[in-house]
Amino acid sequence: MNVVVVESPAKAKTINKYLGSGYKVLASFGHVRDLPAKDGSVLPDQDFEMSWEVDSASQKRMKDIADAVKASDGLILATDPDREGEAISWHVLDLLKKKRVLGDKPVKRVVFNAITKKAVLDAMAQPRDLDIPLVDAYLARRALDYLVGFNLSPVLWRKLPGARSAGRVQSVALRLVCDRESEIERFVSEEYWNLSALLKTPRGDEFEAKLVAADGKRLQARGIKTGDDANRLKSLLEGATYVVDNVEAKPVKRNPGPPFTTSTLQQAASSRMGFSASRTMQVAQKLYEGIDIGGETAGLITYMRTDGVQMAPEAIDAARSAIGSQFGARYVPDKARFYSTKAKNAQEAHEAIRPTDFSRTPDQMKRFLDADQFRLYDLIWKRAIASQMSSAEIERTTVEILADNNGQKAGLRAVGSVIRFDGFIAAYTDQKEDGEQSDDGDDEGRLPQINERENLAKQKINSSQHFTEPPPRYSEASLIKKMEELGIGRPSTYAATLKTLSDREYIVIDKRKLIPHSRGRLVTAFLESFFTKYVEYDFTADLEEKLDRISAGELDWKQVLRDFWKDFFSQIEDTKELRVTNVLDALNEVLAPLVFPTREDGSDPRICQVCGTGNLSLKLGKYGAFVGCSNYPECNFTRQLNSDGPEAEAAALNEPKALGADPHTGEELTLRSGRFGPYIQRGEGKEAKRSSLPKGWKPEDIDHEKALALINLPRDIGQHPESGKMISAGLGRYGPFLLHDGGYANLESIEDVFSIGLNRAVTVIAEKKAAPGRGRGSTPAALKTLGDHPDGGAITVRDGRFGPYVNWGKVNATIPKAQAPDSVTMEEALVLIAERIAKTGTGGKPAKAKKATSKAASADGETTAKAKPKAAAKSKAAAKPKTAAKKAAPKAKKAES
């Protein structure tokens, strides 16, 4: 009997069926060990010696694997076919060697690109040894991420309170988003005009032609700058006669693109379906690991972390056969299409993402898949099949027209496209993203019959004013595309990088656009000012290339670390003498458009408008940065650091907006803006009552009625008919609530706080008592029971105060926001529980061995999304960022001075 080790239990179950009784397949549940996030995990002074830690959940997994290996004939490492998969195999093997359970038993490494019976059996017949250069590349990447995160983050905490952490790839990705925001802020819109003529042929067909030449010169794009010029040219066209000067019909062939890589799949899923990068990878992982299709479990797609664009020869043959049967013989090109990869590292350029069996059409698979799985499989199948189809044949017609007004001449052009043969377009066309044209080439429309030298009748002249627009903010898709173009990060890292930026609140995702939070812009400005080299695109891309060369066996991984550490450590040391005033001076200049927005009256944006003499500047408080006056405390003007238009304008002046008096107290109600946002205040002085605006309330919408309702919370609703005790409604840290007899019940919306009546309030309280789960110490009812844990005890899905989660005994594991609670499977639940135990220790209690750790050392998004979260827990500094900030940085008043 041979022991086979894979990552996930779902994968293990499927492969065990393929291999039969002669094999025992066990899951490692991702990585079995990692660098503990504490000082000393990587020791540069000891030639980068690395200390690894096995978390409690992985210890049990490794014990099961070790016990099985003892009784086996050999070990087969069958983890995923990439750098992280190779690293997991290396970790497992190293731990087994230390346990001395291998003896002289053979150890082999096998890789398969798809979880199908044929792919697995073929891989078993062609074992190899561990790819040590690939492992070295993993070690170098992991050490770099640790050294950057663990050494750079404390600098941020000390010099820039409110900052979370910084990482190698994450910081550069954040800079891209912030640089784009700066471009938008600097952008100056320019006016331009477009002119066109609606013309009619002698046969009565109408079409539109655009003005492209005038005054004997070809007009450049947006070349008509003023309304006067537009009116002059419009007059010329109004009185002109029109004749067709030239008609050219040109056949054009459009070729299909290659099958998906990781990044192109994430981009297409974003533009077509609105999927985040992480959601795309979650769904793809399930399609790869296996779906039950009528009693047979099979992987429907090949491995989804790849930068390769070519399909295996047998897959190409299968695709061509499917094209013939599905679309017809004309859609099969004479020769198979071959695509070359753009990946710099052949070691990681695996086969493109494709269906494992082209005969499994999306329509056939639909009944076995949930909605998201079907949509993604449909996308992958169509893109892969289209990559081997015939070219689309398009006829592009260009008509040149001469306008003559008593010797004043102008040129117009009409362009139309007609698809003569759709070819690959019958299966797949790219979705437009940020103004890009789609692949069908039919955006220009179709022209009627137009003949050379014939006269045309003018129907109407159209003149339209336009203004140039700033570059669009990045979406997840366009940012991934840009990172790939620059060579920053690798296929497995994009989703995790974006998730890290969002989790640390460096960016906000609004309508699929990435907007840098003020915190993110501060961090980027700080790094650009004091760690310039390490957020440069070329430097990061060059480092990625060195890591690729390590995996190809061309560079020594420790020498790459030595070269990096020498300069990086010197830069870290230089910041020790850096004063907060130096930081503020630098940030004031780099972030001038954000800190000192232009005023409509043209006055100096750096002079305080409240006192008229103080200079405005960034200030650093224990909760982060804000704008304040140099005359503090005599002038207490403060403003949030926020670049979002209306909110920033509302906060531009610290002058209270009078809303009227409170009829009960006679005190004035005012709308104000502080460093933590807009708020309502009743009265003046230290005893004045204040209340922040609830989430979703805009300052411009606040009137006397709303202000009065908010400032008088909590609101007494009435006495409970049974207890006789008062029921009140209010807003708390966790949202709107009802309070009765010391117990709380959640309300669905903020509006309920102001409108709920006594009858409904009594009902809500009764429902809470009948189905507890929102109060402290109570357990929500199970939404779904998944089955028993391998170690005993039921696993259930529940909906708690902070959202849905998986429960096993005392362990509660949060379900990712992007996943519906009712879609969680037993395999996914086991992974979530193992991750939770890894973070907190057995039974959900903090593990002693993990106390002195640091959030800074966690991967910055460079660690692959497929790997299990690391065993290391948070450090005191990371677990209590506010406390760390208090100790490391001056208090607000000191910083202001």
Side-chain angles (χ1 to χ4, degrees):
M1 187 267 295
N2 286 306
V3 171
V4 180
V5 177
V6 296
E7 289 96 336
S8 77
K11 192 173 171 183
K13 185 178 179 181
T14 304
I15 293 171
N16 221 127
K17 289 180 182 177
Y18 297 156
L19 297 180
S21 58
Y23 296 85
K24 185 172 184 178
V25 186
L26 298 173
S28 70
F29 286 77
H31 274 284
V32 294
R33 64 181 183 182
D34 192 22
L35 296 172
K38 62 182 181 181
D39 196 16
S41 295
V42 179
L43 299 173
D45 294 339
Q46 297 181 30
D47 204 19
F48 302 95
E49 181 182 330
M50 302 168 77
S51 300
W52 301 99
E53 180 179 76
V54 183
D55 65 83
S56 56
S58 293
Q59 284 175 358
K60 185 181 184 310
R61 306 295 172 202
M62 282 307 304
K63 183 180 183 304
D64 293 341
I65 293 171
D67 290 345
V69 169
K70 278 183 186 178
S72 72
D73 299 318
L75 172 66
I76 299 172
L77 301 166
T79 48
D80 286 343
D82 62 358
R83 182 187 68 244
E84 291 293 321
E86 207 75 19
I88 292 171
S89 286
W90 174 78
H91 279 300
V92 169
L93 181 59
D94 191 50
L95 286 170
L96 292 175
K97 285 179 179 177
K98 289 178 178 177
K99 290 177 179 289
R100 299 183 180 179
V101 297
L102 282 169
D104 58 356
K105 294 174 183 177
V107 178
K108 294 297 180 183
R109 170 86 168 107
V110 300
V111 292
F112 35 83
N113 199 42
I115 302 179
T116 62
K117 189 169 185 177
K118 182 179 185 305
V120 171
L121 294 180
D122 287 349
M124 289 294 177
Q126 300 177 28
R128 62 168 171 81
D129 293 327
L130 271 179
D131 188 331
I132 298 304
L134 210 54
V135 174
D136 288 345
Y138 158 80
L139 294 173
R141 195 177 291 268
R142 192 67 197 89
L144 282 170
D145 292 341
Y146 171 90
L147 291 171
V148 171
F150 195 80
N151 288 279
L152 190 53
S153 296
V155 175
L156 281 178
W157 297 337
R158 290 192 298 268
K159 309 299 181 184
L160 202 64
R164 302 294 172 84
S165 59
R168 188 174 62 84
V169 174
Q170 163 216 321
S171 298
V172 183
L174 178 60
R175 183 189 170 188
L176 279 169
V177 177
C178 293
D179 282 356
R180 176 58 56 86
E181 197 69 17
S182 295
E183 281 184 68
I184 294 170
E185 289 172 347
R186 292 193 303 266
F187 180 81
V188 178
S189 184
E190 295 182 359
E191 177 187 10
Y192 70 96
W193 292 73
N194 285 337
L195 274 78
S196 63
L198 184 64
L199 304 172
K200 182 187 287 188
T201 70
R203 289 157 296 283
D205 299 316
E206 293 183 347
F207 67 97
E208 188 175 33
K210 294 180 181 178
L211 180 68
V212 294
D215 303 325
K217 296 184 295 184
R218 181 72 59 186
L219 289 174
Q220 300 297 319
R222 299 189 289 273
I224 304 172
K225 298 294 186 182
T226 66
D228 290 342
D229 287 342
N231 290 333
R232 178 179 62 81
L233 292 171
K234 184 178 181 181
S235 297
L236 186 158
L237 296 178
E238 289 281 9
T241 57
Y242 297 84
V243 63
V244 178
D245 188 47
N246 182 55
V247 179
E248 181 182 16
K250 186 193 236 179
V252 176
K253 281 194 174 184
R254 181 157 300 185
N255 297 322
F260 284 126
T261 62
T262 301
S263 65
T264 55
L265 176 63
Q266 290 170 349
Q267 291 166 45
S270 172
S271 3
R272 285 174 174 261
M273 300 179 288
F275 281 12
S276 66
S278 52
R279 181 59 182 155
T280 300
M281 298 311 288
Q282 286 173 359
V283 178
Q285 181 89 30
K286 186 63 179 173
L287 293 174
Y288 164 70
E289 289 189 343
I291 299 291
D292 186 347
I293 48 176
E296 175 194 358
T297 301
L300 295 187
I301 64 170
T302 54
Y303 192 55
M304 64 286 163
R305 292 185 178 85
T306 175
D307 46 19
V309 293
Q310 183 63 359
M311 296 194 296
E314 61 271 19
I316 293 175
D317 292 340
R320 288 169 61 83
S321 175
I323 292 165
S325 61
Q326 293 275 332
F327 298 92
R330 189 182 175 191
Y331 289 84
V332 184
D334 294 336
K335 294 181 180 179
R337 295 185 183 277
F338 291 92
Y339 299 93
S340 58
T341 181
K342 296 179 181 179
K344 298 178 181 179
N345 181 8
Q347 289 275 2
E348 296 188 51
H350 309 296
E351 191 179 357
I353 304 169
R354 62 167 176 84
T356 55
D357 186 345
F358 281 97
S359 67
R360 293 187 180 127
T361 65
D363 287 342
Q364 291 174 347
M365 293 296 103
K366 188 172 185 177
R367 62 194 176 103
F368 304 114
L369 306 172
D370 66 29
D372 285 353
Q373 290 168 355
F374 169 73
R375 293 168 73 195
L376 195 66
Y377 181 70
D378 182 66
L379 192 67
I380 292 169
W381 190 92
K382 288 178 176 177
R383 172 81 171 228
I385 206 89
S387 73
Q388 288 299 320
M389 291 175 72
S390 296
S391 302
E393 296 174 8
I394 300 169
E395 184 178 84
R396 191 169 191 268
T397 303
T398 304
V399 181
E400 301 288 351
I401 300 160
L402 185 64
D404 190 337
N405 185 344
N406 296 320
Q408 286 186 293
K409 298 183 185 298
L412 295 92
R413 178 180 297 152
V415 180
S417 293
V418 178
I419 297 177
R420 296 300 184 190
F421 172 62
D422 55 1
F424 76 93
I425 292 174
Y428 180 87
T429 57
D430 276 328
Q431 192 85 0
K432 291 183 179 181
E433 171 77 20
D434 288 335
E436 296 175 353
Q437 284 202 344
S438 61
D439 274 350
D440 58 15
D442 199 30
D443 293 330
E444 295 149 343
R446 186 169 184 165
L447 291 174
Q449 179 186 344
I450 304 173
N451 303 318
E452 285 188 17
R453 311 317 307 167
E454 67 182 4
N455 294 318
L456 302 169
K458 180 203 74 178
Q459 301 297 106
K460 183 181 179 182
I461 303 301
N462 297 311
S463 175
S464 56
Q465 182 187 33
H466 302 271
F467 294 90
T468 55
E469 295 183 354
R473 289 184 172 116
Y474 285 111
S475 63
E476 283 199 359
S478 58
L479 182 62
I480 288 170
K481 183 177 181 180
K482 186 65 175 179
M483 290 172 68
E484 189 176 39
E485 288 174 357
L486 294 173
I488 298 167
R490 285 297 177 262
S492 62
T493 70
Y494 297 130
T497 298
L498 292 171
K499 185 176 185 302
T500 301
L501 292 176
S502 181
D503 289 348
R504 292 177 183 171
E505 297 180 339
Y506 284 161
I507 62 172
V508 176
I509 302 177
D510 181 28
K511 297 178 182 177
R512 295 177 50 212
K513 295 299 181 183
L514 308 184
I515 305 170
H517 192 281
S518 56
R519 182 184 293 113
R521 299 194 70 178
L522 282 168
V523 168
T524 296
F526 177 85
L527 295 177
E528 284 182 324
S529 299
F530 302 104
F531 290 88
T532 309
K533 177 179 177 181
Y534 301 98
V535 287
E536 286 179 351
Y537 305 136
D538 290 345
F539 174 81
T540 306
D542 181 62
L543 194 54
E544 289 287 350
E545 188 172 353
K546 287 179 180 177
L547 292 168
D548 289 345
R549 291 182 64 192
I550 291 171
S551 61
E554 298 173 3
L555 288 179
D556 176 69
W557 69 282
K558 287 197 173 181
Q559 187 57 50
V560 171
L561 289 178
R562 292 183 199 111
D563 295 341
F564 174 86
W565 179 249
K566 180 181 177 182
D567 292 340
F568 183 69
F569 179 72
S570 174
Q571 195 109 19
I572 292 288
E573 289 294 294
D574 289 344
T575 63
K576 288 184 177 179
E577 301 303 319
L578 189 63
R579 297 175 61 84
V580 173
T581 51
N582 303 135
V583 173
L584 294 177
D585 288 344
L587 297 186
N588 279 331
E589 295 309 314
V590 175
L591 295 175
L594 179 65
V595 182
F596 312 112
T598 303
R599 293 174 181 165
E600 291 185 3
D601 61 5
S603 62
D604 188 347
R606 295 180 184 246
I607 299 297
C608 178
Q609 281 186 290
V610 174
C611 68
T613 59
N615 293 312
L616 298 182
S617 171
L618 273 176
K619 308 290 181 183
L620 297 179
K622 62 181 179 179
Y623 298 115
F626 60 96
V627 178
C629 178
S630 60
N631 285 339
Y632 178 87
E634 287 77 17
C635 176
N636 63 355
F637 169 80
T638 59
R639 172 167 54 84
Q640 277 186 298
L641 187 62
N642 194 323
S643 60
D644 292 340
E647 190 175 341
E649 290 170 15
L653 289 177
N654 204 33
E655 296 175 355
K657 177 183 176 182
L659 298 170
D662 186 328
H664 303 293
T665 67
E667 295 174 300
E668 187 72 20
L669 294 173
T670 52
L671 173 65
R672 304 176 182 233
S673 181
R675 69 182 69 173
F676 307 119
Y679 63 94
I680 301 296
Q681 179 171 310
R682 183 175 64 195
E684 297 291 341
K686 293 182 179 179
E687 303 303 319
K689 185 176 180 182
R690 299 173 180 86
S691 181
S692 296
L693 297 195
K695 187 176 182 180
W697 284 31
K698 297 180 179 179
E700 57 267 29
D701 296 334
I702 301 301
D703 55 18
H704 179 261
E705 183 180 356
K706 285 187 174 182
L708 189 62
L710 184 61
I711 204 70
N712 284 312
L713 290 180
R715 176 177 74 93
D716 288 342
I717 298 171
Q719 293 179 334
H720 195 286
E722 294 178 3
S723 67
K725 295 183 178 180
M726 182 60 68
I727 302 174
S728 59
L731 288 171
R733 180 179 180 185
Y734 303 114
F737 64 85
L738 289 176
L739 173 63
H740 169 250
D741 196 16
Y744 292 86
N746 287 342
L747 290 173
E748 292 183 0
S749 69
I750 292 171
E751 285 67 30
D752 286 343
V753 175
F754 306 103
S755 62
I756 192 168
L758 181 59
N759 290 339
R760 177 59 184 155
V762 171
T763 302
V764 171
I765 291 169
E767 290 173 348
K768 173 63 184 298
K769 289 181 178 179
R774 298 283 178 175
R776 187 173 295 176
S778 58
T779 304
L783 301 176
K784 180 180 179 184
T785 300
L786 300 175
D788 288 338
H789 193 281
D791 296 336
I795 297 178
T796 57
V797 177
R798 301 174 185 268
D799 189 13
R801 186 174 190 176
F802 307 112
Y805 64 94
V806 172
N807 169 259
W808 173 57
K810 294 183 180 180
V811 180
N812 296 327
T814 302
I815 296 171
K817 289 182 180 179
Q819 185 165 8
D822 58 1
S823 71
V824 176
T825 64
M826 172 62 98
E827 290 79 9
E828 291 169 333
L830 288 171
V831 173
L832 291 171
I833 289 168
E835 292 171 350
R836 180 62 183 167
I837 292 173
K839 290 181 178 179
T840 62
T842 305
K845 296 177 181 178
K848 292 180 180 179
K850 303 183 182 77
K851 284 185 178 178
T853 56
S854 169
K855 188 176 184 179
S858 64
D860 67 335
E862 176 60 9
T863 303
T864 176
K866 73 177 247 327
K868 185 176 70 178
K870 308 303 179 278
K874 298 177 180 178
S875 69
K876 292 177 180 178
K880 299 179 181 178
K882 292 181 181 178
T883 304
K886 284 181 182 178
K887 293 178 179 179
K891 291 184 179 179
K893 289 184 179 180
K894 291 183 179 179
E896 290 165 14
S897 61

